[in-house]
mmCIF file of all heavy atoms in Angstrom:
data_model
loop_
_atom_site.group_PDB
_atom_site.id
_atom_site.type_symbol
_atom_site.label_atom_id
_atom_site.label_comp_id
_atom_site.label_asym_id
_atom_site.label_seq_id
_atom_site.Cartn_x
_atom_site.Cartn_y
_atom_site.Cartn_z
ATOM 1 N N ALA C 35 18.394 -35.660 10.376
ATOM 2 C CA ALA C 35 18.169 -35.857 11.808
ATOM 3 C C ALA C 35 17.160 -36.975 12.074
ATOM 4 O O ALA C 35 17.199 -37.637 13.116
ATOM 5 C CB ALA C 35 17.687 -34.557 12.438
ATOM 6 N N TYR C 45 13.040 -37.773 -3.564
ATOM 7 C CA TYR C 45 12.601 -38.593 -4.703
ATOM 8 C C TYR C 45 11.224 -39.190 -4.425
ATOM 9 O O TYR C 45 10.340 -39.193 -5.299
ATOM 10 C CB TYR C 45 13.619 -39.700 -4.980
ATOM 11 C CG TYR C 45 13.103 -40.747 -5.942
ATOM 12 C CD1 TYR C 45 13.007 -40.478 -7.305
ATOM 13 C CD2 TYR C 45 12.693 -42.009 -5.476
ATOM 14 C CE1 TYR C 45 12.516 -41.438 -8.183
ATOM 15 C CE2 TYR C 45 12.207 -42.967 -6.345
ATOM 16 C CZ TYR C 45 12.117 -42.672 -7.700
ATOM 17 O OH TYR C 45 11.625 -43.621 -8.564
ATOM 18 N N GLN C 55 -0.549 -41.539 -12.758
ATOM 19 C CA GLN C 55 -1.736 -40.736 -13.089
ATOM 20 C C GLN C 55 -2.524 -40.405 -11.834
ATOM 21 O O GLN C 55 -2.971 -39.265 -11.650
ATOM 22 C CB GLN C 55 -2.631 -41.481 -14.081
ATOM 23 C CG GLN C 55 -3.859 -40.652 -14.506
ATOM 24 C CD GLN C 55 -4.921 -41.493 -15.189
ATOM 25 O OE1 GLN C 55 -5.407 -42.470 -14.618
ATOM 26 N NE2 GLN C 55 -5.285 -41.111 -16.409
ATOM 27 N N ALA C 65 -4.406 -28.899 -5.486
ATOM 28 C CA ALA C 65 -3.982 -27.562 -5.914
ATOM 29 C C ALA C 65 -5.160 -26.636 -6.195
ATOM 30 O O ALA C 65 -5.008 -25.409 -6.147
ATOM 31 C CB ALA C 65 -3.106 -27.659 -7.165
ATOM 32 N N ILE C 86 -5.447 -11.958 5.792
ATOM 33 C CA ILE C 86 -5.034 -13.208 6.431
ATOM 34 C C ILE C 86 -6.263 -14.083 6.682
ATOM 35 O O ILE C 86 -6.175 -15.127 7.315
ATOM 36 C CB ILE C 86 -4.291 -12.921 7.761
ATOM 37 C CG1 ILE C 86 -3.285 -11.786 7.584
ATOM 38 C CG2 ILE C 86 -3.553 -14.156 8.271
ATOM 39 C CD1 ILE C 86 -2.179 -12.088 6.598
ATOM 40 N N GLY C 96 -18.329 -22.117 1.398
ATOM 41 C CA GLY C 96 -18.888 -23.442 1.607
ATOM 42 C C GLY C 96 -20.288 -23.392 2.193
ATOM 43 O O GLY C 96 -21.168 -24.176 1.801
ATOM 44 N N GLY C 105 -31.175 -27.903 -2.536
ATOM 45 C CA GLY C 105 -32.553 -27.927 -2.994
ATOM 46 C C GLY C 105 -33.301 -26.633 -2.824
ATOM 47 O O GLY C 105 -34.490 -26.555 -3.168
ATOM 48 N N VAL C 142 -8.071 0.532 11.729
ATOM 49 C CA VAL C 142 -7.922 -0.744 12.417
ATOM 50 C C VAL C 142 -7.059 -1.675 11.567
ATOM 51 O O VAL C 142 -7.278 -1.812 10.350
ATOM 52 C CB VAL C 142 -9.297 -1.392 12.685
ATOM 53 C CG1 VAL C 142 -9.133 -2.749 13.369
ATOM 54 C CG2 VAL C 142 -10.155 -0.467 13.529
ATOM 55 N N ILE C 182 -27.355 -31.293 -3.962
ATOM 56 C CA ILE C 182 -28.039 -32.089 -4.973
ATOM 57 C C ILE C 182 -27.152 -32.242 -6.208
ATOM 58 O O ILE C 182 -26.166 -31.509 -6.389
ATOM 59 C CB ILE C 182 -29.388 -31.445 -5.352
ATOM 60 C CG1 ILE C 182 -29.172 -30.031 -5.900
ATOM 61 C CG2 ILE C 182 -30.317 -31.424 -4.146
ATOM 62 C CD1 ILE C 182 -30.454 -29.362 -6.369
ATOM 63 N N LEU C 187 -20.167 -30.093 -9.259
ATOM 64 C CA LEU C 187 -19.284 -29.948 -10.415
ATOM 65 C C LEU C 187 -18.927 -31.337 -10.938
ATOM 66 O O LEU C 187 -18.561 -32.215 -10.156
ATOM 67 C CB LEU C 187 -18.015 -29.200 -10.022
ATOM 68 C CG LEU C 187 -18.176 -27.718 -9.676
ATOM 69 C CD1 LEU C 187 -16.884 -27.170 -9.083
ATOM 70 C CD2 LEU C 187 -18.573 -26.921 -10.907
ATOM 71 N N LYS C 194 -12.233 -40.552 -11.047
ATOM 72 C CA LYS C 194 -11.155 -39.850 -10.361
ATOM 73 C C LYS C 194 -11.724 -38.653 -9.603
ATOM 74 O O LYS C 194 -12.861 -38.241 -9.823
ATOM 75 C CB LYS C 194 -10.081 -39.383 -11.351
ATOM 76 C CG LYS C 194 -9.522 -40.491 -12.228
ATOM 77 C CD LYS C 194 -8.807 -41.557 -11.426
ATOM 78 C CE LYS C 194 -8.212 -42.628 -12.339
ATOM 79 N NZ LYS C 194 -7.539 -43.701 -11.588
ATOM 80 N N VAL C 210 -7.853 -12.857 -13.480
ATOM 81 C CA VAL C 210 -7.214 -11.955 -12.518
ATOM 82 C C VAL C 210 -5.963 -11.323 -13.115
ATOM 83 O O VAL C 210 -5.697 -10.135 -12.909
ATOM 84 C CB VAL C 210 -6.872 -12.718 -11.215
ATOM 85 C CG1 VAL C 210 -6.014 -11.863 -10.295
ATOM 86 C CG2 VAL C 210 -8.147 -13.128 -10.500
ATOM 87 N N THR C 217 -6.257 -3.534 -16.983
ATOM 88 C CA THR C 217 -7.421 -2.700 -16.665
ATOM 89 C C THR C 217 -7.029 -1.536 -15.762
ATOM 90 O O THR C 217 -5.973 -1.552 -15.124
ATOM 91 C CB THR C 217 -8.516 -3.528 -15.963
ATOM 92 O OG1 THR C 217 -8.054 -3.927 -14.666
ATOM 93 C CG2 THR C 217 -8.875 -4.770 -16.772
ATOM 94 N N TYR C 221 -4.348 -1.218 -12.474
ATOM 95 C CA TYR C 221 -3.360 -0.142 -12.331
ATOM 96 C C TYR C 221 -3.545 0.582 -11.005
ATOM 97 O O TYR C 221 -2.563 0.881 -10.304
ATOM 98 C CB TYR C 221 -3.493 0.828 -13.501
ATOM 99 C CG TYR C 221 -2.667 2.080 -13.339
ATOM 100 C CD1 TYR C 221 -1.300 2.074 -13.598
ATOM 101 C CD2 TYR C 221 -3.258 3.267 -12.906
ATOM 102 C CE1 TYR C 221 -0.538 3.224 -13.438
ATOM 103 C CE2 TYR C 221 -2.505 4.415 -12.739
ATOM 104 C CZ TYR C 221 -1.150 4.388 -13.016
ATOM 105 O OH TYR C 221 -0.401 5.520 -12.845
ATOM 106 N N VAL C 263 -16.817 -28.011 -1.748
ATOM 107 C CA VAL C 263 -18.126 -28.591 -1.433
ATOM 108 C C VAL C 263 -18.795 -29.120 -2.694
ATOM 109 O O VAL C 263 -19.261 -30.265 -2.732
ATOM 110 C CB VAL C 263 -19.031 -27.540 -0.749
ATOM 111 C CG1 VAL C 263 -20.456 -28.076 -0.608
ATOM 112 C CG2 VAL C 263 -18.478 -27.181 0.618
ATOM 113 N N LYS C 267 -16.130 -32.683 -1.838
ATOM 114 C CA LYS C 267 -16.683 -33.272 -0.613
ATOM 115 C C LYS C 267 -18.183 -33.545 -0.712
ATOM 116 O O LYS C 267 -18.666 -34.543 -0.182
ATOM 117 C CB LYS C 267 -16.406 -32.345 0.575
ATOM 118 C CG LYS C 267 -14.935 -32.039 0.815
ATOM 119 C CD LYS C 267 -14.159 -33.265 1.230
ATOM 120 C CE LYS C 267 -12.702 -32.942 1.490
ATOM 121 N NZ LYS C 267 -12.463 -32.004 2.574
ATOM 122 N N PRO C 293 -0.555 -13.557 -10.715
ATOM 123 C CA PRO C 293 -1.699 -14.481 -10.801
ATOM 124 C C PRO C 293 -1.410 -15.752 -11.589
ATOM 125 O O PRO C 293 -1.880 -16.826 -11.224
ATOM 126 C CB PRO C 293 -2.780 -13.631 -11.474
ATOM 127 C CG PRO C 293 -2.418 -12.222 -11.136
ATOM 128 C CD PRO C 293 -0.919 -12.184 -11.125
#
Side-chain angles (χ1 to χ4, degrees):
Y45 168 75
Q55 183 195 57
I86 315 297
V142 178
I182 59 177
L187 291 170
K194 306 297 182 182
V210 171
T217 68
Y221 171 79
V263 172
K267 302 294 181 62

